[in-house]
Amino acid sequence: MHALIVTAHPDRDAHTHRVAEQLARGIIASGQHSVEQADLAAEGFDPRFTLHDVRQFKGQAASPPDVLAEQQRVDRADALVLVYPIYWWSFPAQLKGWIDRVFTQGWAYQEQEGRIVKRLGHLPVHLLALGAADTRTYLRHGYFASMRNEIEHGIFDYCGAPVVTSELLLTGDEGYPESHYQQARQLGQRLFVDRRSHDQ
């Protein structure tokens, strides 16, 4: 099986990329699975939702080539993993723009006769959010509920993609940063075990 790991951090030495790399190693450790890493920052993905994107949404234009290429990447995947730093309690702008532009009507979902047809029910999603505050801070301000509402429900549930993993890794965690790398490797090792359980 094949996993797509998506990151959006401009610094290749950042903790985000190291966690993503450990996760990839966990996936391929069995020798049975493959992985592709989409580094949106390094690849220069344009996150701006332009007039062309608006026209596509209205059914007046086809998706541009860069969006089609990203959709094909997701279509090849049996699991989607997002590894991202928390910027202002949300996605980095480039990753949010990737969602805005790639998860289009007609591909991720379809409006038909006043109802939404969810088209990504076949795609398990795993979320690894990396934050700098301690757990108490996130709990006090309700970040966990916000994360579930905005990302899990607002994006992936809308498209029907089941969120299998949703983890918040913080710099205050015991054993940081090695504990994060270990957790990422373990997630990679069980990624498609979780998928088999979901399919059953």
Side-chain angles (χ1 to χ4, degrees), residues 9-29:
H9 197 299
D11 183 357
R12 282 294 308 167
D13 291 327
H15 186 57
T16 298
H17 287 293
R18 294 180 181 181
V19 168
E21 182 59 36
Q22 292 302 318
L23 196 146
R25 291 182 184 181
I27 293 171
I28 64 176

Side-chain angles (χ1 to χ4, degrees), residues 103-176:
F103 284 60
T104 60
Q105 180 172 203
W107 179 78
Y109 65 95
Q110 183 70 54
E111 294 184 23
Q112 291 182 353
E113 301 176 353
R115 66 188 183 92
I116 299 298
V117 177
K118 303 177 180 190
R119 302 188 67 179
L120 296 182
H122 61 282
L123 183 69
V125 175
H126 303 265
L127 305 171
L128 283 184
L130 309 175
D134 58 30
T135 302
R136 184 165 43 187
T137 298
Y138 282 95
L139 285 171
R140 185 169 65 247
H141 295 287
Y143 180 78
F144 295 100
S146 298
M147 184 174 171
R148 290 190 180 94
N149 290 333
E150 176 187 350
I151 298 173
E152 296 177 34
H153 175 70
I155 297 172
F156 295 111
D157 183 57
Y158 192 82
C159 304
V163 176
V164 179
T165 304
S166 185
E167 295 288 347
L168 179 60
L169 306 182
L170 302 173
T171 55
D173 292 342
E174 184 177 355
Y176 167 86

Side-chain angles (χ1 to χ4, degrees), residues 8-198:
H9 197 299
D11 183 357
R12 282 294 308 167
D13 291 327
H15 186 57
T16 298
H17 287 293
R18 294 180 181 181
V19 168
E21 182 59 36
Q22 292 302 318
L23 196 146
R25 291 182 184 181
I27 293 171
I28 64 176
S30 70
Q32 299 176 353
H33 307 301
S34 59
V35 63
E36 179 179 2
Q37 293 182 257
D39 183 344
L40 302 181
E43 295 170 7
F45 179 79
D46 187 350
R48 296 173 299 172
F49 196 83
T50 67
L51 181 58
H52 189 108
D53 296 292
V54 173
R55 288 174 175 158
Q56 186 283 329
F57 174 77
K58 293 180 177 180
Q60 300 169 349
S63 292
D66 62 337
V67 169
L68 288 174
E70 295 301 313
Q71 290 174 344
Q72 290 166 4
R73 239 187 340 194
V74 177
D75 284 339
R76 290 193 297 268
D78 299 296
L80 173 65
V81 187
L82 305 185
V83 182
Y84 60 95
I86 297 170
Y87 289 176
W88 293 105
W89 287 36
S90 187
F91 285 145
Q94 195 167 38
L95 181 55
K96 178 57 166 61
W98 184 78
I99 295 288
D100 291 344
R101 297 190 64 218
V102 174
F103 284 60
T104 60
Q105 180 172 203
W107 179 78
Y109 65 95
Q110 183 70 54
E111 294 184 23
Q112 291 182 353
E113 301 176 353
R115 66 188 183 92
I116 299 298
V117 177
K118 303 177 180 190
R119 302 188 67 179
L120 296 182
H122 61 282
L123 183 69
V125 175
H126 303 265
L127 305 171
L128 283 184
L130 309 175
D134 58 30
T135 302
R136 184 165 43 187
T137 298
Y138 282 95
L139 285 171
R140 185 169 65 247
H141 295 287
Y143 180 78
F144 295 100
S146 298
M147 184 174 171
R148 290 190 180 94
N149 290 333
E150 176 187 350
I151 298 173
E152 296 177 34
H153 175 70
I155 297 172
F156 295 111
D157 183 57
Y158 192 82
C159 304
V163 176
V164 179
T165 304
S166 185
E167 295 288 347
L168 179 60
L169 306 182
L170 302 173
T171 55
D173 292 342
E174 184 177 355
Y176 167 86
E178 290 299 328
S179 60
H180 290 186
Y181 304 150
Q182 181 179 6
Q183 193 166 345
R185 284 193 302 273
Q186 290 172 346
L187 172 60
Q189 290 165 359
R190 71 172 192 267
L191 198 72
F192 293 114
V193 174
D194 288 350
R195 174 62 187 268
R196 286 194 296 270
S197 299
H198 171 75

